[in-house]
Amino acid sequence: MHKSILILGACGQIGTELTFALRELYGNDQVVASDIREGSESLMNSGPFELLDATNYAAIEDVVMYHEIEEVYLMAAMLSATAEKFPERAWNLNMNSLFNVLNLAKERKIEKVFWPSSIAVFGPNTPKDNTPQSTLMEPSTVYGISKQSGERWCSYYYHKFGVDVRSVRYPGLISWKTLPGGGTTDYAIEIYHEALNKGSYTCFLNEDAKLPMMFMDDAIRATIKLMDCNSDQLTVRSSYNLSAMSLSPADISASIKKRIPDFKISYDPDFRQTIAETWPRSIDDTKAKEDWGWEPQFNLENTTTEMLKNLPSQSF
């Protein structure tokens, strides 16, 4: 199938792996990676790359026109922990980049948009367990506020202008291929690095801070599956709940100890614990399963196996 795709934020945690996956599916030359900085050598050598500021409409439009882009994946964002330190910069990046892409689609310069939301859209008053697709959402973080606002704009542009925009609410993501990018669930990647390198880890969340998590391969698969399905299958145009497993630091530690018995973990919660306390413990993703056949493939045990097997061979 011929597709011409642009990825904004291709050098980030999700963007890097999404770039490789889409290039494998559609051909290296059909997927244009872009970011405000250059990425890894392997990413830069795998296909076309453009230095691009996602907040610059004219620059994005030029790249879209030059490469005859049909679909845009907007992965550029400032994540939860970093956004709390730079609120205005986070809002500017997270919102203006979305408006740029939605407006390009509104003008029919691109055909389809993927924009990621997050479990950060939920807040302290949201039901914590089996959080519904539609529920009370009062996010208390800069990142969550921007993502909830983005969901409303995606729905608005779809209903008002017919923009084909699609979205999932990512849980915390675990990957061995890229380093974490400033999120509240970064511990779930750091813990595997430290288990292998030091045999111990000091966690910035409490041991029982259970949060929705997902192995990156599942997240990439869900993203592409959603973008590939027929538009008339979709009943949610804000963002779909997405789930795989719910984990606490103690759960991951126990899984690691099965393979590294001497591993030690300690806890020193910081401001990210306060953020985590506002998020769900588990997610109801029935709508994603019903509408486009979503099913996760990774649980904690095969995630730990993949992380500990592959991290020693990875250099950053």
Side-chain angles (χ1 to χ4, degrees):
M1 182 189 302
H2 173 87
K3 283 191 181 183
S4 184
I5 295 169
L6 172 64
I7 303 173
L8 296 164
C11 300
Q13 184 192 13
I14 307 173
T16 297
E17 300 196 38
L18 181 63
T19 299
F20 288 126
L22 288 170
R23 283 178 171 167
E24 187 173 334
L25 270 176
Y26 300 116
N28 291 351
D29 292 340
Q30 298 307 118
V31 180
V32 180
S34 74
D35 210 309
I36 201 163
R37 56 180 171 82
E38 292 191 348
S40 65
E41 187 176 349
S42 57
L43 184 138
M44 299 300 291
N45 290 337
S46 67
F49 182 87
E50 297 276 358
L51 278 175
L52 195 54
D53 179 353
T55 64
N56 185 330
Y57 180 89
I60 300 172
E61 183 181 30
D62 285 346
V63 169
V64 164
M65 296 295 103
Y66 179 79
H67 290 280
E68 299 179 343
I69 297 297
E70 298 164 283
E71 298 183 4
V72 172
Y73 289 72
L74 172 53
M75 313 309 292
M78 192 178 291
L79 301 185
S80 57
T82 309
E84 289 303 294
K85 300 174 185 176
F86 308 104
E88 291 185 27
R89 281 168 54 186
W91 178 261
N92 180 53
L93 171 59
N94 295 357
M95 297 309 302
N96 288 346
S97 59
L98 176 58
F99 276 124
N100 287 343
V101 174
L102 289 176
N103 285 326
L104 281 168
K106 175 188 169 185
E107 299 298 325
R108 302 296 183 255
K109 291 172 180 173
I110 52 177
E111 296 175 8
K112 197 186 297 185
V113 174
F114 177 83
W115 173 80
S117 189
S118 162
I119 59 170
V121 296
F122 302 116
N125 298 318
T126 300
K128 297 284 189 198
D129 298 304
N130 214 28
T131 302
Q133 172 66 46
S134 298
T135 186
L136 181 66
M137 297 161 68
E138 295 177 344
S140 57
T141 64
V142 175
Y143 182 63
I145 292 166
S146 71
K147 287 299 183 183
Q148 189 199 26
S149 301
E151 286 191 13
R152 305 286 18 107
W153 281 115
C154 287
S155 178
Y156 180 84
Y157 269 72
Y158 170 74
H159 290 288
K160 187 81 171 178
F161 306 118
V163 168
D164 188 356
V165 56
R166 305 172 183 205
S167 178
V168 295
R169 294 169 179 155
Y170 286 130
L173 299 178
I174 304 174
S175 168
W176 57 267
K177 294 179 184 174
T178 51
L179 289 169
T184 300
T185 54
D186 284 359
Y187 88 85
I189 300 176
E190 293 173 358
I191 191 171
Y192 291 106
H193 284 265
E194 297 295 283
L196 288 166
N197 294 329
K198 298 180 181 176
S200 65
Y201 178 63
T202 301
C203 186
F204 55 74
L205 298 184
N206 288 333
E207 64 179 325
D208 59 352
K210 193 175 285 284
L211 292 168
M213 306 292 290
M214 180 175 287
F215 191 56
M216 183 67 83
D217 287 22
D218 270 345
I220 298 300
R221 197 167 48 80
T223 301
I224 295 172
K225 187 175 180 67
L226 174 61
M227 284 292 276
D228 279 352
C229 73
N230 292 329
S231 181
D232 57 11
Q233 292 176 240
L234 307 181
T235 62
V236 175
R237 288 296 183 156
S238 52
S239 191
Y240 278 95
N241 274 3
L242 199 66
S243 181
M245 48 192 163
S246 289
L247 305 173
S248 68
D251 292 330
I252 300 180
S253 174
S255 180
I256 291 172
K257 284 181 179 179
K258 292 178 185 177
R259 297 152 177 86
I260 307 175
D262 293 335
F263 175 68
K264 301 282 194 301
I265 187 166
S266 57
Y267 299 92
D268 184 18
D270 65 14
F271 74 99
R272 288 168 285 194
Q273 174 62 31
T274 306
I275 296 175
E277 288 168 2
T278 71
W279 290 358
R281 285 187 289 264
S282 60
I283 296 287
D284 179 357
D285 59 358
T286 303
K287 290 302 294 182
K289 290 175 176 176
E290 290 176 349
D291 287 3
W292 43 279
W294 162 245
E295 284 294 340
Q297 293 180 352
F298 286 85
N299 58 24
L300 173 57
E301 291 311 313
N302 54 16
T303 294
T304 295
T305 297
E306 287 294 305
M307 292 296 286
L308 296 179
K309 178 179 73 176
N310 289 295
L311 271 176
S313 65
Q314 189 76 344
S315 59
F316 296 100

